[in-house]
Amino acid sequence: EEPLISGIAFTANEAKLTLLNTPDVPGVASRILGPIADANIEVDMIVQNVAPAGDYTDFTFTVAKGDYKQTLKILNEQVLPDLGEGEVKGDDNIAKVSLVGVGMRSHAGVASKMFRVLSEENINIRMVSTSEIKISVVIDEKQMELAVRALHSAFGLDKDDIESE
Amino acid sequence: EEPLISGIAFTANEAKLTLLNTPDVPGVASRILGPIADANIEVDMIVQNVAPAGDYTDFTFTVAKGDYKQTLKILNEQVLPDLGEGEVKGDDNIAKVSLVGVGMRSHAGVASKMFRVLSEENINIRMVSTSEIKISVVIDEKQMELAVRALHSAFGLDKDDIESE
Ligand SMILES: C[C@@H](O)[C@H](N)C(=O)O
Ligand SMILES: C[C@@H](O)[C@H](N)C(=O)O
């Protein structure tokens, strides 16, 4: 399946929250998100990677910038005391930029080109998450325009293929 | 937007590879995936979380089980020498299970319920990645059937809503 890049999506209306060093045991993920769900806060990305030594890992999710302060409060006042260990870190100076297309998942080439284009602009990739139709990266908010412009020209997209989420 | 869960997708035809402790600087992500793309190996999930102390992070991706050994070889023989630091870890005893539906991204409730259902079966979540229409978790391969059955009954799905990828 040849990848067909149809556009770039981007948004600066995100903030990320990370539970660092959470125990990697069943139940922890739902104990983190349960109180957030109870507060009716919309969650966009959820990213967890493997626990390097098999015992602790970091759990990150993003919310709308407007929900950042309240989410931070819930994590510090409800989730952390319930878990009994770990640390909360947040950052509301982020942007999410995604390359959208079909056949994405089958091509490491598209991903590695996207990452290379960003590195040529000295843009550091903070997080990565993919789906069948999208490769999304989280970067510093101030680099969003530069990232969108660089990807736009590298993948030969028209002006109207770019949409803000 | 009320979430509408339309089904469960699952596959045991995955293996995960992690570059532990890679430098969190521009260019690293493309130096990891470039040689994999050059070998025409299909990549499915790509997951990277924040660098806890801002300097090193882990980078994970999945390939088809059949490509596991070759991918491990490329990482050890080409990528690691190029990066000059870090460690390669792989695991081909995994399965990916996804809850599929529309309106997913807006509901922490769906995610936290999915995670809770898995924890009630004592299934440990190794990785998490989401998109607008899917919440995907990586778990141990031997727990795949149990996970699919537990999610199937918890979300009230018919037999024909379950599809193997
Ligand atoms: C860290 C968290 O995902 C844990 N492994 C769980 O299953 O809930
Ligand atoms: C770790 C890796 O993603 C790095 N931050 C990069 O931009 O390439």
Side-chain angles (χ1 to χ4, degrees):
Chain A
E1 194 183 4
E2 265 319 297
L4 186 74
I5 312 299
S6 54
I8 297 172
F10 61 92
T11 173
N13 181 29
E14 301 239 332
K16 66 177 160 64
L17 295 118
T18 304
L19 264 294
L20 290 170
N21 293 322
T22 57
D24 187 23
V25 294
V28 166
S30 98
R31 285 157 68 191
I32 294 169
L33 281 188
I36 309 296
D38 295 344
N40 281 323
I41 292 174
E42 277 201 14
V43 166
D44 181 14
M45 296 170 81
I46 306 173
V47 174
Q48 177 204 320
N49 205 341
V50 297
D55 47 6
Y56 291 91
T57 187
D58 306 323
F59 186 94
T60 300
F61 61 94
T62 64
V63 297
K65 271 200 172 38
D67 290 328
Y68 176 63
K69 293 253 184 304
Q70 187 192 357
T71 309
L72 212 49
K73 198 173 143 75
I74 294 171
L75 292 178
N76 278 313
E77 294 180 8
Q78 290 180 43
V79 174
L80 218 49
D82 171 48
L83 294 179
E85 51 189 325
E87 186 197 330
V88 174
K89 244 180 122 177
D91 182 1
D92 62 352
N93 285 316
I94 65 165
K96 182 174 90 167
V97 177
S98 307
L99 207 57
V100 185
V102 288
M104 300 291 270
R105 71 184 260 174
S106 55
H107 283 271
V110 173
S112 94
K113 179 175 174 182
M114 177 187 189
F115 299 156
R116 199 180 57 248
V117 168
L118 295 173
S119 80
E120 283 160 6
E121 305 295 334
N122 217 17
I123 294 171
N124 194 26
I125 300 165
R126 304 273 179 220
M127 288 169 70
V128 178
S129 179
T130 57
S131 77
E132 284 70 17
I133 57 159
K134 257 190 195 177
I135 302 173
S136 299
V137 294
V138 168
I139 58 176
D140 292 349
E141 183 173 5
K142 62 179 186 300
Q143 297 180 310
M144 187 177 81
E145 265 89 25
L146 177 62
V148 172
R149 229 179 294 124
L151 291 170
H152 168 264
S153 70
F155 286 94
L157 293 163
D158 285 338
K159 276 280 170 281
D160 47 10
D161 293 328
I162 301 180
E163 98 246 11
S164 143
E165 282 192 26
Chain B
E1 193 183 6
E2 265 319 298
L4 189 75
I5 312 299
S6 55
I8 297 173
F10 61 92
T11 172
N13 181 28
E14 300 238 333
K16 67 179 158 68
L17 295 120
T18 303
L19 264 296
L20 291 170
N21 292 323
T22 58
D24 187 23
V25 294
V28 164
S30 100
R31 284 158 68 191
I32 293 170
L33 281 187
I36 308 297
D38 295 344
N40 281 321
I41 292 174
E42 276 200 16
V43 166
D44 181 15
M45 297 170 80
I46 305 173
V47 174
Q48 177 204 320
N49 205 338
V50 296
D55 48 6
Y56 291 91
T57 189
D58 306 322
F59 187 92
T60 301
F61 62 92
T62 63
V63 297
K65 269 198 173 36
D67 290 328
Y68 177 63
K69 292 251 183 304
Q70 188 193 357
T71 308
L72 212 50
K73 197 171 144 70
I74 294 171
L75 291 178
N76 277 313
E77 294 179 11
Q78 290 179 44
V79 174
L80 219 49
D82 171 49
L83 293 178
E85 49 191 325
E87 185 198 329
V88 173
K89 240 178 123 178
D91 182 0
D92 62 351
N93 284 315
I94 64 166
K96 182 173 93 167
V97 177
S98 306
L99 206 56
V100 185
V102 287
M104 300 292 269
R105 69 186 263 173
S106 55
H107 284 271
V110 171
S112 93
K113 180 176 173 183
M114 176 187 189
F115 299 158
R116 198 180 58 247
V117 167
L118 294 173
S119 80
E120 284 161 5
E121 305 296 335
N122 215 21
I123 294 171
N124 194 27
I125 300 165
R126 304 273 179 222
M127 288 169 71
V128 178
S129 178
T130 57
S131 77
E132 283 70 14
I133 57 157
K134 257 191 193 177
I135 301 172
S136 300
V137 294
V138 168
I139 58 175
D140 291 348
E141 182 173 4
K142 62 179 187 300
Q143 297 180 312
M144 185 177 83
E145 265 89 19
L146 177 61
V148 172
R149 229 177 294 123
L151 291 170
H152 169 265
S153 68
F155 285 94
L157 293 163
D158 283 341
K159 277 273 166 284
D160 47 13
D161 295 328
I162 301 181
E163 97 245 12
S164 142
E165 281 189 24

